Amino acid sequence: MASGSGCGKLILCGEHAVVYGHPALAIGVQRTTTVDLQPVEGPTSVHSAQGVDEQLIRAVHGVISPTGWRVQLTSDIPMGRGMGSSAALSVALVRAYACATHTMLTTEQTHEQALAVETLFHGTPSGIDNAVAALGGLVHFRRTDTGPVWTSLPCPALTVVVLDSGTAGNTRELVGGVRERHPENTPILNAIGALTPQIQAALTDLDRLGPLLYNNHQLLGELGVSTPALDSLVHFAMDAGATGAKLAGAGGGGVVLAVTHSPDQLVARAVHAGIDAFCTPIATGAA
Ligand code: PMV
């Protein structure tokens, strides 16, 4: 049996702007997708407790030989919630197949191969999701003319509360919508990009970090990717003591992340209010 994993992620700041070359920060979370490969006779088959659709089959066939494998997927990353489920799957497939075929891959090679799979899902991904799925931890990411540049940063002791809107956003459509409505380098995208270094400098000070994250959320709202449900989760979190909150990922649904001095208390209040919520530290990536 050969195995590979990729971790889920949350974008702390810079989503959408990152597509246009602005910097972004993302963190690995304690959710993982694992692919187990078993050699079999005959055609490759795909198995997952969450169900198998055509997109998943295409992703598997983008990496794994069409014959000779039983592919078992296991994941606790919610799908379509901006938590990097497809990137974690792409990285897990690439790593599992490399393991099965006794191939050593550098992080750059893993990223490059996983990005090709991710493109099947999202059209023109910036690559930030794959970088975090492969690396975990805290990642600074920027797309340049010569390719993506990512840096693993020292991890602060930050716990993030995740509140799930219960609906999925469509990253491909949301990124396309921003492209139509906001030609490159609009003031909103520039303002989002300018927040990233400020947020990076405030990661250990929740009273500075929260308002900057909320500022990022407001800018994403102006960009047209928030929803009334996401706005109301942000305000719920802040009314319940979060120093700040924002949608995380492409928007249109998905999750909100919040920072607070009392993460467990915020999760308890959210769950009491019927909101699916959990907290996570910054998690180092699974291999
Ligand atoms: O897949 P999501 O929801 O985490 O969105 C990815 C972040 C975007 O900036 C919206 C798109 C991208 O490819 O960077």
Side-chain angles (χ1 to χ4, degrees), residues 9-11 14-20 24 80-87 115 118 122-130 141 143 169-172 174-175 178 220 225 247-251 253-255:
K9 70 94 189 52
L10 288 168
I11 298 181
E15 50 271 89
H16 287 289
V18 72
V19 173
Y20 302 89
R81 300 292 206 278
M83 290 191 64
S85 60
S86 57
L115 189 60
E118 178 80 340
H122 289 165
T124 52
S126 64
I128 186 169
D129 287 16
N130 290 286
F141 184 95
R143 206 175 182 183
N170 182 321
T171 299
R172 185 193 283 261
L174 287 150
V175 170
V178 169
L220 288 165
V225 298
L247 74 86
V255 297

Side-chain angles (χ1 to χ4, degrees), residues 40-44 61 64-69 97:
V40 290
E41 297 287 326
T44 291
H61 288 317
I64 288 161
S65 161
T67 55
W69 298 99
Y97 199 55

Side-chain angles (χ1 to χ4, degrees), residues 7-273:
C7 75
K9 70 94 189 52
L10 288 168
I11 298 181
L12 278 184
C13 57
E15 50 271 89
H16 287 289
V18 72
V19 173
Y20 302 89
H22 292 287
L25 287 174
I27 57 172
V29 298
Q30 274 180 332
R31 300 277 170 130
T32 307
T33 295
T34 301
V35 169
D36 294 310
L37 295 180
Q38 209 179 335
V40 290
E41 297 287 326
T44 291
S45 61
V46 186
H47 308 265
S48 165
Q50 281 115 322
V52 176
D53 61 13
E54 246 177 58
Q55 210 177 28
L56 173 57
I57 305 235
R58 266 198 295 148
V60 169
H61 288 317
V63 181
I64 288 161
S65 161
T67 55
W69 298 99
R70 183 185 195 280
V71 183
Q72 177 70 54
L73 309 175
T74 315
S75 181
D76 60 359
I77 307 173
M79 282 165 69
R81 300 292 206 278
M83 290 191 64
S85 60
S86 57
L89 167 69
S90 308
V91 167
L93 283 168
V94 167
R95 282 188 170 148
Y97 199 55
C99 175
T101 52
H102 308 289
T103 310
M104 289 290 287
L105 293 179
T106 62
T107 306
E108 282 74 17
Q109 288 167 325
T110 305
H111 181 272
E112 199 179 308
Q113 291 184 22
L115 189 60
V117 182
E118 178 80 340
T119 302
L120 298 173
F121 289 97
H122 289 165
T124 52
S126 64
I128 186 169
D129 287 16
N130 290 286
V132 186
L135 291 166
L138 171 64
V139 177
H140 182 279
F141 184 95
R142 185 166 205 156
R143 206 175 182 183
T144 70
D145 291 342
T146 51
V149 177
W150 63 82
T151 316
S152 280
L153 301 174
C155 280
L158 179 68
T159 294
V160 172
V161 176
V162 181
L163 302 107
D164 192 341
S165 70
T167 60
N170 182 321
T171 299
R172 185 193 283 261
E173 279 172 17
L174 287 150
V175 170
V178 169
R179 194 176 293 283
E180 262 170 38
R181 290 190 302 273
H182 303 272
E184 289 190 27
N185 291 326
T186 66
I188 304 173
L189 293 167
N190 290 340
I192 292 175
L195 275 177
T196 292
Q198 296 178 52
I199 287 175
Q200 187 177 342
L203 286 173
T204 53
D205 180 351
L206 296 183
D207 295 318
R208 267 172 67 211
L209 177 61
L212 290 168
L213 294 178
Y214 182 57
N215 193 346
N216 193 167
H217 179 75
Q218 288 173 308
L219 289 166
L220 288 165
E222 287 175 37
L223 209 52
V225 298
S226 191
T227 64
L230 291 170
D231 291 343
S232 100
L233 284 180
V234 164
H235 292 123
F236 173 89
M238 290 174 64
D239 289 346
T243 60
K246 67 179 275 288
L247 74 86
V255 297
V256 156
L257 68 80
V259 292
T260 165
H261 293 283
S262 313
D264 290 335
Q265 206 176 317
L266 176 55
V267 170
R269 285 186 66 170
V271 170
H272 185 70

